[in-house]
């Protein structure tokens, strides 16, 4: 029986692991992917984390994991598929939990859910068919395949704009297709994007279809104001239209909003005593590395209080 199981080893889970080890808790971190670090692994540059301007996302993930390793945090590989509450029996002790993964089961007194988020799909014709053949959700991972070629990025947030900037360094031409005429991304990113000569913005438009033969050759774009449609010849479509929380396995266990974000305050305490949430899967205003690591630290403090019955 562990004191604490942390599910997910992105910034929130790794920060929680560091704080838990320093608090002397018997903690296990369960991660589904072979590498820790979460979403930052696929970003080429993180420029807003205090003290580490311009750090590569993968390197940052490695640094976070090394810190947890240095303190002796224990890790297990597996996808958590369910959590069961274990009845404490007749005495008045708090319930405990069984964490079920595709790789084994673990018992624990408390849990921090730090499963973060994943990218959304467009759900349009050709998207599935051409995934890996020109349709991608990760510019850092796949951008190099389109050196001196044309790429389209769809979205108007930080990820879309960062992707377009990144791709513009190697591609001959980059189109950014956005459904409104105003970007959501940080001003500093917008300014950089607008200064690039090989980037063209396609405003008020949505991507309706991806076309090609063996690989992507064009997309159909519709202007949402005029309903006018046009074809853009391209070798790639990078979809960057936001994220959704990875919390499906916890449905019914902790109160969520309509999109699956788990409802909790700064201490991460969910509607189920003993279960806490940290990072991008928590309902909150700002989803960033700095807020994820802060969540991890706060949740461990709340776990400690819970374990001593405060
Ligand atoms: P995540 O990073 O999503 O980590 C969650 C972890 O949980 C993952 O490792 C996942 O594999 C694991 N997991 C999920 N489900 C399960 C399960 N069922 N069982 C076991 N393990 C599971 N923020 C910034 O501050 N600055 C930036 O420059 C920046 N750039 C970004 C660029 C990109 C391309 C993206 C996508 C995001 C960026 N962000 C940036 C946002 C930042 O990455 C997130 O806010 C942060 O990673 C959230 O951390 P997290 O630990 O909550 O979740
Ligand atoms: P986001 O901020 O939610 O932006 C999603 C974008 O996609 C929005 O512009 C949205 O349009 C558009 N969109 C949503 N659904 C769409 C659809 N079905 N069709 C077409 N367009 C659609 O998501 P994100 O850019 O992926 O960022 C995720 C999180 O990571 C954010 O919290 C972000 O701040 C963070 N992040 C931060 C940094 C950084 O700080 N440098 C870098 C990367 C990511 P509307 O604008 O019209 O809603």
């Amino acid at each position: 029986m562990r004191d604490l199981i942390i599910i997910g080893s992105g910034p929130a889970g790794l920060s929680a692991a560091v704080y838990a080890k320093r608090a002397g808790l018997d903690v296990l971190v369960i991660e589904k992917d072979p590498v820790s670090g979460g979403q930052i692994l696929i970003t080429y540059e993180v420029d807003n984390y205090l003290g580490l301007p311009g750090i590569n996302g993968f390197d940052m993930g490695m640094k976070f994991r090394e810190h947890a390793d240095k303190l002796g945090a224990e890790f297990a590989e597996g996808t958590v598929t369910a959590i069961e509450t274990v009845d404490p029996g007749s005495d008045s002790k708090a319930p405990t939990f069984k964490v079920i993964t595709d790789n084994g089961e673990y018992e624990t007194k408390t849990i921090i859910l730090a499963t973060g988020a994943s990218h959304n799909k467009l759900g349009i014709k050709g998207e599935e068919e051409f995934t890996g053949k020109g349709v991608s959700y990760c510019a850092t991972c796949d951008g190099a395949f389109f050196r001196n070629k044309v790429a389209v990025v769809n979205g108007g947030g930080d990820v879309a704009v960062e992707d377009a900037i990144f791709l513009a360094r190697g591609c001959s031409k980059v189109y950014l297709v956005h459904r409104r005429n105003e970007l959501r991304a940080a001003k500093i990113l917008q300014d950089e994007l607008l200064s690039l000569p090989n980037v063209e913005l396609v405003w008020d438009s949505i991507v309706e279809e991806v076309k090609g033969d063996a690989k992507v050759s064009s997309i159909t774009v519709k202007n949402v104001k005029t309903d006018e449609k046009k074809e853009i010849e391209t070798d790639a479509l990078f979809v960057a239209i936001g994220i959704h929380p990875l919390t499906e396995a916890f449905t019914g266990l902790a109160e969520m909003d309509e999109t699956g974000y788990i409802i909790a305050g700064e201490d991460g305490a969910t509607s189920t005593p003993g279960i806490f949430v940290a990072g991008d899967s928590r309902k909150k205003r700002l989803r960033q590395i700095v807020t994820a690591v802060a969540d991890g630290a706060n949740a461990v403090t709340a776990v400690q209080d819970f374990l001593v019955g405060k």
Side-chain angles (χ1 to χ4, degrees):
M1 174 72 64
R2 303 273 179 170
D3 292 327
L4 169 64
I5 284 183
I6 298 165
I7 306 174
S9 68
L14 291 171
S15 166
V18 165
Y19 274 74
K21 284 307 289 183
R22 287 176 54 85
L25 299 181
D26 178 5
V27 60
L28 174 71
V29 185
I30 304 177
E31 170 59 54
K32 70 176 173 58
D33 288 346
V35 184
S36 290
Q39 292 168 70
I40 54 168
L41 292 177
I42 61 159
T43 188
Y44 64 100
E45 190 179 88
V46 173
D47 205 30
N48 55 2
Y49 193 83
L50 191 67
L52 299 172
I55 187 168
N56 172 269
F58 188 84
D59 293 346
M60 189 178 209
M62 294 303 101
K63 269 186 189 291
F64 285 175
R65 169 70 192 250
E66 275 164 28
H67 194 167
D69 283 340
K70 200 172 152 201
L71 292 170
E74 206 182 317
F75 287 80
E77 200 173 321
T79 301
V80 174
T81 51
I83 294 171
E84 286 175 7
T85 305
V86 181
D87 194 325
S90 54
D91 59 12
S92 60
K93 280 194 305 195
T96 58
F97 304 98
K98 190 197 277 181
V99 177
I100 300 162
T101 80
D102 57 359
N103 202 18
E105 296 181 358
Y106 307 88
E107 289 191 1
T108 181
K109 294 175 195 162
T110 63
I111 294 172
I112 296 178
L113 308 172
T115 49
S118 184
H119 56 75
N120 292 338
K121 292 187 175 181
L122 281 164
I124 57 168
K125 200 171 166 208
E127 183 180 19
E128 290 287 343
E129 185 189 343
F130 291 107
T131 294
K133 298 170 190 159
V135 173
S136 169
Y137 302 86
C138 176
T140 323
C141 319
D142 300 330
F145 298 124
F146 303 100
R147 183 159 285 279
N148 299 321
K149 294 187 172 172
V150 178
V152 174
V153 178
N154 189 200
D158 286 325
V159 171
V161 174
E162 279 192 349
D163 282 359
I165 294 168
F166 175 74
L167 291 166
R169 291 178 190 161
C171 294
S172 54
K173 170 101 184 178
V174 176
Y175 294 92
L176 183 81
V177 178
H178 181 38
R179 64 182 178 184
R180 293 187 292 137
N181 62 359
E182 199 183 358
L183 297 166
R184 180 184 290 274
K187 180 79 170 58
I188 191 166
L189 293 173
Q190 294 191 33
D191 290 346
E192 188 176 347
L193 180 82
L194 296 171
S195 73
L196 298 172
N198 59 340
V199 174
E200 184 176 329
L201 284 122
V202 184
W203 296 115
D204 299 315
S205 297
I206 56 168
V207 182
E208 277 205 330
E209 189 179 346
V210 188
K211 292 178 179 165
D213 193 358
K215 48 193 178 136
V216 172
S217 59
S218 70
I219 58 165
T220 309
V221 166
K222 184 174 97 173
N223 185 302
V224 290
K225 287 190 171 154
T226 62
D227 279 345
E228 192 191 321
K229 292 188 184 185
K230 69 174 180 185
E231 296 287 304
I232 298 179
E233 284 187 14
T234 183
D235 302 288
L237 171 65
F238 287 89
V239 181
I241 58 160
I243 55 171
H244 61 274
L246 294 178
T247 55
E248 219 181 307
F250 317 126
T251 307
L253 188 75
E255 198 186 337
M256 296 174 186
D257 73 3
E258 63 292 348
T259 45
Y261 287 104
I262 297 168
I263 295 169
E266 200 184 27
D267 64 359
T270 71
S271 54
T272 299
I275 298 191
F276 300 80
V277 60
D280 272 16
S281 53
R282 181 167 81 88
K283 187 174 172 66
K284 59 180 175 178
R285 172 75 176 84
L286 183 65
R287 293 195 174 83
Q288 295 270 279
I289 302 160
V290 70
T291 60
V293 299
D295 276 7
N298 278 320
V300 171
T301 306
V303 163
Q304 284 176 274
D305 288 349
F306 180 85
L307 288 172
V308 296
K310 261 197 210 169

